[in-house]
Amino acid sequence: MSYSSELYQQVILDHNRKPRNFREMPNATHFCHGFNPLCGDDITVYLDVDNDHVIQDVSFTGSGCAISKASSSLMTVHLKGKKIEESKVIFDEFHKMVLGEFDPEKSENHLGKLTLFMGVREFPSRIKCASLSWHAMIGALEKKAEGITTE
Amino acid sequence: MPDSGAVLAKKPAIDVDKIRKDFPVLSRTIDGKPLIYLDNAATTQKPWSVINRLFKFESEEYGTVRRGAYKLSERSTRLYEESRRKVADFLGAASKEEIVFTSGTTQSINLVAYSFGRRFVNAGDEVVISNIEHHANTVPWQVLCEEKGAVLKVIPVNDDGELIMTEYDKLLSKKTRLVAVNHVSNALGTVNPVREIVRKARAVGAKVLIDGAQSTPHMKIDVRELDCDFYTFSGHKMYGPSGVGGLYGKMEVLETMPPYVTGGDMIVQVTLEKTTYAKPPSRFEAGTPPISQVIGLGTAIDYLNGVGMDKIGEYEHSLLEYGTRLLRDIPGLRIIGTARDKASIISFYLDAAHPHDVVTILDQDGIALRGGHHCAQPTMKRFGVPATARASMSFYNKYEELDALAASIRRTIKIFS
Ligand SMILES: Cc1ncc(COP(=O)(O)O)c(C=O)c1O
């Protein structure tokens, strides 16, 4: 299987087993609950954003499949220290990548390690797993108190 | 439960290699691997006889039903009504007029909820369902109860996924208008004691709907012996086309019910002031029906009768025993739904991997099964799992396919551990 079509890369499996920043954040400035009713994936993303719009800390809790857990975990690692505006750009690139509308191998991007999730585009039923925590992150920044769902 | 060797030693009730030749899709490959189709509770594959019947009907005989006075339409109408007869006989109905064609179980239940429910369920009345229903047999009753100020009661289940019948007894009262439960649970495979459920509901004067979406493909049904008021089924789960299914209703009950969808074909006379409704089943079949699908369903029933429902049940039961045995032996695998009486459905949960991941890995091995909540979220909640992976077997499945399933599950566990 080619690099890009392999869904369960070692790094993804590792983040599934040992998710990073997997904790509640009592002093979060923003948080949002994300739910995928199709598979029951249920993830809450917490952010601590300072006055300069820099994400000082980001974490998540909840349960889900390997793809949604690893995606959440890698997202938290990637976004720590980024500005809100940058995060929105990265969200956009990530979202388009898993939908197959953006090819990070051909375009300049801000995805870093997140290109590991490129394989998701070959698995239409898993796109929502990969993007759940990202939608929750954006929901948190937009202060969506009611949470977000993928449906 | 006998061990797998004992199951294998018995002469199978069915010559599965011969049966498999009847189903063209079973010989195809998925990414170079032979297809192992284990999602039969979601939908079943079609035999050649059904495919050929659909082709012949569409290419040589198609015409509208109940409307035209020319050859094509007359013949279509006759074939359509012949299918109704086949369904009636298959379910043991007293007459073919007790069979209403719908788009499937979902629509059949909605028909009863809207037509029977709106007329006969009132404020303070009670509707009883169970904790292991498909959303199709949950949401229509919630909506009805909310609209009418009626109360929805739920029969709880024990840890094996069996209805707790002593609790059912306590839920029944003079206020109970309707009991609606499935014959076989799609999420767990539990076969419910429907005879006892009907008898007890009768004793308090309640009507009973049995959701037969999962039972009709696996066992001989006799609605008269069962004495239920309604029984539902879906063609696409019985080796027939999708888009068609039906509702059995006792004639004396159907006659009291108003139409649910209105329009053409369900009337005797329309003036601009008033419409006189047709008798059942036409009263409930407004509009042009799925004609080819109904005829294909009749052919699917011929096919099932040809194989024999008793043999199907016996063979599928040995697949269930064999598969259960294999899966139970896998460390870290929990079977959800361990009722004494089960149809050939095995729902399971792995400590190591989420059902969605299980399904993705199994798919790489050519194995098709479902991972999710199976439209039964209250059931998942009862068993404390977000979802399960579910292998559902048909009489065209082989023991070897279950061996492959077990091997693939072990591989999955390794990947995620
Ligand atoms: C027990 C049960 N009830 C109802 C349904 C709904 O059937 P359909 O989708 O054919 O309307 C299903 C199918 O998934 C089922 O398994």
Side-chain angles (χ1 to χ4, degrees):
Chain A
M1 217 176 264
S2 77
Y3 169 78
S4 62
S5 68
E6 172 89 66
L7 184 61
Y8 295 107
Q9 314 241 359
Q10 280 311 322
V11 179
I12 290 179
L13 291 172
D14 176 63
H15 276 258
N16 172 48
R17 271 181 223 116
K18 290 177 295 201
R20 322 293 199 267
N21 303 306
F22 187 65
R23 57 184 153 78
E24 260 186 75
M25 194 191 295
N27 60 337
T29 53
H30 303 69
F31 66 94
C32 181
H33 176 224
F35 182 57
N36 179 347
L38 285 182
C39 57
D41 285 357
D42 187 323
I43 277 174
T44 302
V45 172
Y46 303 87
L47 296 156
D48 179 18
V49 183
D50 70 14
N51 291 336
D52 298 324
H53 306 292
V54 175
I55 298 174
Q56 290 296 341
D57 194 10
V58 44
S59 70
F60 78 105
T61 57
S63 66
C65 65
I67 299 301
S68 70
K69 248 158 79 189
S71 174
S72 309
S73 174
L74 278 147
M75 176 185 82
T76 60
V77 172
H78 195 66
L79 292 187
K80 206 178 278 192
K82 297 272 190 315
K83 286 202 131 184
I84 287 184
E85 285 318 307
E86 286 175 278
S87 305
K88 288 185 176 166
V89 170
I90 297 167
F91 164 80
D92 200 47
E93 289 178 0
F94 183 86
H95 194 219
K96 289 199 172 123
M97 174 184 73
V98 294
L99 285 171
E101 294 166 5
F102 177 77
D103 190 342
E105 283 175 349
K106 296 202 181 110
S107 326
E108 215 181 301
N109 64 76
H110 309 77
L111 291 168
K113 250 195 203 167
L114 299 174
T115 55
L116 283 167
F117 288 96
M118 202 154 93
V120 171
R121 65 186 181 183
E122 309 286 336
F123 299 82
S125 64
R126 308 306 298 276
I127 292 166
K128 286 172 179 166
C129 309
S131 50
L132 177 63
S133 58
W134 287 87
H135 284 290
M137 184 273 292
I138 292 293
L141 291 177
E142 289 170 359
K143 300 242 178 208
K144 291 222 167 107
E146 72 281 16
I148 58 109
T149 104
T150 53
E151 292 310 302
Chain B
M1 187 165 287
D3 67 23
S4 42
V7 173
L8 283 181
K10 232 176 40 184
K11 185 181 174 323
I14 270 176
D15 181 353
V16 68
D17 291 323
K18 185 158 160 277
I19 290 282
R20 289 175 71 84
K21 295 206 178 81
D22 294 338
F23 292 84
V25 78
L26 297 180
S27 56
R28 70 159 288 181
T29 55
I30 301 287
D31 297 337
K33 307 224 168 82
L35 167 67
I36 297 182
Y37 187 75
L38 292 173
D39 197 16
N40 296 288
T43 200
T44 47
Q45 301 294 344
K46 292 173 196 61
W48 274 122
S49 62
V50 171
I51 298 165
N52 287 334
R53 186 69 196 95
L54 291 171
F55 184 78
K56 179 162 190 285
F57 180 71
E58 297 278 9
S59 54
E60 296 174 20
E61 305 171 287
Y62 181 76
T64 192
V65 290
R66 303 182 297 212
R67 287 174 187 181
Y70 48 90
K71 290 273 175 330
L72 274 181
S73 172
E74 281 171 351
R75 181 163 168 76
S76 262
T77 305
R78 189 163 61 71
L79 292 168
Y80 184 84
E81 291 304 321
E82 255 172 34
S83 262
R84 199 190 300 279
R85 153 104 288 157
K86 287 174 187 177
V87 172
D89 290 346
F90 188 72
L91 297 178
S95 78
K96 80 179 178 55
E97 280 67 39
E98 293 182 319
I99 303 299
V100 179
F101 285 120
T102 66
S103 66
T105 293
T106 301
Q107 199 200 347
S108 300
I109 296 174
N110 275 279
L111 192 166
V112 176
Y114 280 85
S115 168
F116 175 88
R118 283 241 179 93
R119 174 150 298 180
F120 296 108
V121 177
N122 294 304
D125 286 348
E126 294 176 357
V127 175
V128 175
I129 61 170
S130 88
N131 199 178
I132 50 171
E133 299 303 321
H134 191 279
H135 294 164
N137 196 33
T138 304
V139 185
W141 308 118
Q142 285 174 339
V143 170
L144 174 71
C145 287
E146 190 166 327
E147 193 179 302
K148 290 293 198 140
V151 183
L152 190 65
K153 301 267 173 173
V154 181
I155 312 168
V157 295
N158 64 22
D159 291 343
D160 289 318
E162 297 166 327
L163 301 189
I164 304 176
M165 294 302 279
T166 49
E167 295 298 320
Y168 173 57
D169 294 343
K170 290 184 209 156
L171 296 179
L172 290 172
S173 76
K174 288 275 169 256
K175 288 191 231 161
T176 315
R177 228 23 87 231
L178 183 86
V179 176
V181 293
N182 55 34
H183 196 158
V184 170
S185 146
N186 66 306
L188 308 180
T190 310
V191 180
N192 288 318
V194 284
R195 216 168 263 114
E196 188 184 343
I197 288 169
V198 174
R199 188 166 46 73
K200 289 179 164 167
R202 282 267 168 275
V204 297
K207 299 279 186 261
V208 184
L209 175 142
I210 306 290
D211 170 356
Q214 294 295 340
S215 50
T216 38
H218 300 297
M219 55 181 79
K220 180 95 199 80
I221 307 297
D222 188 334
V223 288
R224 256 182 301 172
E225 192 204 26
L226 198 52
D227 195 30
C228 57
D229 300 282
F230 304 105
Y231 201 95
T232 68
F233 61 94
S234 296
H236 70 99
K237 295 186 199 282
M238 310 166 59
Y239 308 92
S242 58
V244 68
L247 172 72
Y248 156 81
K250 258 189 197 164
M251 186 47 78
E252 63 197 66
V253 183
L254 288 178
E255 277 173 342
T256 64
M257 291 163 47
Y260 147 60
V261 175
T262 55
D265 284 327
M266 44 73 66
I267 44 85
V268 174
Q269 195 183 24
V270 180
T271 65
L272 289 175
E273 293 74 36
K274 183 165 172 60
T275 297
T276 321
Y277 302 128
K279 288 203 184 71
S282 303
R283 186 184 298 170
F284 305 106
E285 290 183 4
T288 303
I291 304 168
S292 327
Q293 287 82 344
V294 164
I295 289 160
L297 172 63
T299 309
I301 287 178
D302 291 340
Y303 183 84
L304 288 172
N305 287 332
V307 180
M309 291 312 294
D310 291 341
K311 283 189 180 163
I312 287 174
E314 187 184 333
Y315 178 70
E316 289 177 343
H317 192 73
S318 40
L319 286 175
L320 173 71
E321 283 186 344
Y322 185 78
T324 303
R325 181 89 203 176
L326 281 179
L327 266 51
R328 252 192 347 204
D329 285 347
I330 298 177
L333 183 150
R334 175 153 74 104
I335 293 180
I336 312 288
T338 43
R340 266 158 303 174
D341 197 0
K342 270 184 74 172
S344 49
I345 290 174
I346 308 178
S347 244
F348 60 93
Y349 191 79
L350 300 182
D351 294 336
H354 188 278
H356 263 202
D357 299 314
V358 177
V359 166
T360 298
I361 299 291
L362 265 53
D363 185 42
Q364 293 172 358
D365 291 339
I367 304 174
L369 52 74
R370 171 98 177 261
H373 53 59
H374 317 292
C375 299
Q377 287 177 356
T379 313
M380 298 295 111
K381 186 157 182 229
R382 164 63 182 82
F383 287 89
V385 289
T388 69
R390 177 189 70 185
S392 50
M393 286 84 77
S394 151
F395 59 90
Y396 51 52
N397 288 120
K398 304 198 283 186
Y399 295 116
E400 294 89 317
E401 293 181 309
L402 299 177
D403 292 332
L405 170 69
S408 198
I409 292 172
R410 286 177 193 273
R411 186 169 85 83
T412 307
I413 293 174
K414 238 187 227 134
I415 291 174
F416 289 97
S417 301

